[in-house]
Amino acid sequence: MIKKPQPIPRGPSEHNVRDQIVEAAAEYFSRYGYEKTTVSDLAKEIGFSKAYIYKFFATKQAIGEVICSNTLSAILNAINKGMVDAPTASERFRRMFKAAVAESSNLFFQDRKLYDIASSAASEQWQSTVNYQIEIKKIILQIILEGRDTGEFERKTPIDETVNAIYLVMQPYTNPLLLQHNLNLAEQAPMILSSLILRSLAP
């Protein structure tokens, strides 16, 4: 049985109530799955009325978006942390790719409760996943610009083409819909593919 939310004090901030709904929803989804859960199911289980939940979230997807966004933010944080103090653009790229795959594997597949939501988000292109894709491309762009400035990387290929090509190479190991089919390669793929990509970027 899911732990019931604590009674809401008079005049709570909307932020606190939203957080309370999201926390309870994440726990409920973890037990019964995102796809099989309705807002009515959720309202009944956590002790709020359906109308009250709709006051804060227009749809079930809106709740899932928050959970997914939090998860993807954790991955981005891990990536940025992993790149700290990298001495070169090449090393920064290696660390970025490794951290992205490792954290994605951990969050999506060791913590299975997130996979149902992540799968829906990726297949339906929720805004949270679109934003994540944009942020990953920004990180790749920054690394490429750094490498070109220091002379590590070639400068002839259009930079948007370079960024998009690298992003596509990473997709089988960072997109939850694809990663589930490549888990057996998730540990070695970043090292092998990073070396291949960096050779292609050499002047």
Side-chain angles (χ1 to χ4, degrees):
M1 184 71 173
I2 292 176
K3 183 179 180 180
K4 301 291 186 181
Q6 294 298 313
I8 300 173
R10 180 174 295 179
S13 70
E14 290 192 357
H15 180 74
N16 289 339
V17 176
R18 286 173 60 87
D19 285 350
Q20 191 173 4
I21 293 172
V22 169
E23 182 180 353
E27 186 175 352
Y28 190 84
F29 292 154
S30 74
R31 291 175 180 266
Y32 303 105
Y34 173 79
E35 293 293 345
K36 295 180 180 179
T37 301
T38 66
V39 174
S40 295
D41 295 333
L42 184 59
K44 181 179 179 181
E45 184 65 29
I46 67 177
F48 291 162
S49 69
K50 184 178 177 181
Y52 190 70
I53 291 179
Y54 278 133
K55 178 181 177 181
F56 297 94
F57 297 97
T59 62
K60 181 183 73 169
Q61 179 179 325
I63 301 174
E65 282 270 18
V66 176
I67 297 171
C68 187
S69 181
N70 291 341
T71 301
L72 296 176
S73 292
I75 295 175
L76 288 172
N77 288 337
I79 290 172
N80 287 318
K81 183 177 180 181
M83 294 189 299
V84 170
D85 297 331
T88 64
S90 295
E91 180 60 22
R92 192 180 304 278
F93 178 77
R94 290 182 187 278
R95 293 185 186 184
M96 180 273 292
F97 199 165
K98 181 179 179 180
V101 176
E103 195 68 12
S104 295
S105 300
N106 180 58
L107 288 174
F108 291 143
F109 299 103
Q110 290 186 24
D111 189 352
R112 294 292 298 186
K113 68 183 182 181
L114 295 174
Y115 177 71
D116 203 13
I117 298 175
S119 178
S120 294
S123 63
E124 298 172 16
Q125 281 292 285
W126 291 4
Q127 189 59 47
S128 53
T129 62
V130 172
N131 293 342
Y132 176 71
Q133 292 164 5
I134 292 172
E135 291 303 313
I136 290 294
K137 287 186 178 182
K138 283 182 180 179
I139 292 173
I140 295 172
L141 174 61
Q142 291 169 356
I143 293 173
I144 298 304
L145 289 174
E146 178 187 343
R148 289 187 174 190
D149 286 343
T150 60
E152 287 181 71
F153 302 156
E154 59 87 17
R155 302 179 181 180
K156 294 182 179 180
T157 308
I159 196 158
D160 58 338
E161 179 181 322
T162 300
V163 170
N164 288 328
I166 292 173
Y167 178 77
L168 289 175
V169 171
M170 293 176 61
Q171 276 288 283
Y173 305 97
T174 57
N175 183 308
L177 288 176
L178 302 177
L179 179 56
Q180 63 176 325
H181 302 297
N182 295 289
L183 280 176
N184 61 320
L185 299 173
E187 185 173 347
Q188 57 182 321
M191 179 180 64
I192 296 172
L193 294 177
S194 289
S195 295
L196 179 64
I197 290 170
L198 290 171
R199 284 197 295 273
S200 74
L201 293 175

